[in-house]
Amino acid sequence: MKLFEVKIFHILTVVLLTSEATLRPIESDRYHNYDSLTQLLHEYATAYPHITQLFSVGQSVENRELWVMRITDNPDMQEPGEPMFKYVANMHGNEAVGREIVIYLIQYLCDSYGRDDRISGLVNSTDIYIMPSMNPDGFEHAIIRDCEGVTGRNNADNVDLNRDFPDQFDAQPRSRPRQLETEALINWITSNSFVLSGNLHGGSLVGSYPFDDSALHKSGFYSRSPDDAIFKELTLVYSRSHSMMHLGRECPQYSESFPNGITNGAQWYEVSGGMQDYNYLHSNCFELTLELSCCKYPQVDNLPTEWNNNREALIAFIEQVHRGVSGFVTDINGQPIPNATIQVHGIDHTVKSASFGDYWRLLVAGTYTLTVTADGYEPRTVSGVIVTNSTGTMINFTLHREPTHQDNFSHHSNEELKEFLQSYATSYSSITRLYSIGKSVEGIDLWVMEISDNPGIHELGEPEFKYIANMHGNEVTGRETLLLLIQYLCENYGG
């Protein structure tokens, strides 16, 4: 089965020169500490304002910003139907390779935009977010050429950030509050509709996928998620696009090897409170943990090789955000329905539609049945949805309001009646026209609601009918009955 197309790049130099004369060359002969990283990101945000947006999602314990560079063709807006992707690096401060290669990735995407068709297409169609360092405090204390040590691994409070997230199998009360960095990432993850993510680590050479732990709380146990099939394929995309990872070779310091360069997280070793599982269980995002190098903090002259090894894999993995099924969930008037639930039959995991009613569901090739539900709407099921590995499949869902069953009249004052009619005229603008034919002695509008497939148009051969109620002001039954009729006709149109 062909999962992807491999493209080979010949890198002549890793000294990345920007297209703007005002920017200094970016050297590959050093690591970027917090100050130089901050300067670099601001320079690129200034040089490429049409495709970048630099922001911070929070601060570390020692008050360093958790910088994120957003790269997309319209960075000042959220585009309907455009999937969100993120890379997070340097969660463990002494695992420095991921930090540096995403710095190169930022430069590569910006400098190649408008020059390379593949990169331009990716930036135009994807909302890309890159966080070079989740643990900037730890990095400042880490030691270069320390391949196996732990100095700088934890944050400034000496907490392992990849053991600090809520865990599905741990019901014990916490003895300490979550770290600032963890809380910042939790807020960022849950307040956005990320689809796919890579969490970049070091110290081994393997791609790891959920689950990272299990109810047994032991290593060596395959902890299968409901989306095991797509997780394995996504991990294989990175591994096979990487120059070395797919070989599954042992790192010198460990007696372990990984077939095809991938592993289930818990089968390798258990991680309780990890960010990878949190993404999957608490948001729409499917995240992998990518271990990029046997040495956590290698000497500087290894950086060109690491960039060569990872560049194609970094790009190919972002491209996977477009696979599976995507589309929009709307009502009969084309209005978006956010927070609708998308269920794939046979897979016990759902995703939610985003603010524009747009959704994305990563899937392996196959034929599927999808059901969409939303509060106040009737469910909609579509069968025979064909997914391929080559391109994504678009399926839009139009939901109809659930019929309203009301056993008792609710009396409406004149102002409440006006609000009721205006609400239905707005929600069902394609089939209604609300207008006043005049006013009463006391200046109250005499409202008329027209309901038709072409309101406001006298269609040839189509008869016209009217109801009039409340001619005698103290006879309110007809008045309230017609309001219920308006509600019934509107909410059941198209059903």
Side-chain angles (χ1 to χ4, degrees), residues 21 35 68 92 146 249 288 292 313-314 354 361 367 371 398 413 438 463 482 491:
D35 290 338
V68 174
H92 292 146
D146 184 358
R249 294 174 180 170
L288 304 183
L292 302 183
L314 291 166
R361 185 56 168 94
T367 303
T371 294
T398 301
S413 67
L482 289 189
E491 292 181 356

Side-chain angles (χ1 to χ4, degrees), residues 252-299:
Q253 67 269 39
Y254 303 116
S255 58
E256 58 186 9
S257 60
F258 305 97
N260 298 312
I262 71 171
T263 183
N264 173 259
Q267 189 174 46
W268 182 17
Y269 66 91
E270 187 196 38
V271 174
S272 181
M275 186 166 69
Q276 171 178 268
D277 289 1
Y278 181 83
N279 271 271
Y280 180 65
L281 294 169
H282 295 274
S283 76
N284 287 342
C285 190
F286 288 40
E287 181 167 280
L288 304 183
T289 299
L290 302 167
E291 304 275 353
L292 302 183
S293 60
C294 291
C295 181
K296 295 178 181 178
Y297 199 163
Q299 57 190 15

Side-chain angles (χ1 to χ4, degrees), residues 448-460:
V448 174
M449 177 73 91
E450 178 186 354
I451 302 175
S452 174
D453 61 338
N454 288 297
I457 299 175
H458 295 280
E459 294 188 76
L460 184 65

Side-chain angles (χ1 to χ4, degrees), residues 226 343-349 369:
Q343 174 72 62
V344 179
H345 292 210
I347 301 178
D348 188 20
H349 183 78
T369 297

Side-chain angles (χ1 to χ4, degrees), residues 231-243:
F231 271 123
K232 285 193 289 190
E233 284 202 6
L234 291 168
T235 316
L236 280 170
V237 167
Y238 198 95
S239 175
R240 289 174 176 168
S241 301
H242 189 282
S243 300

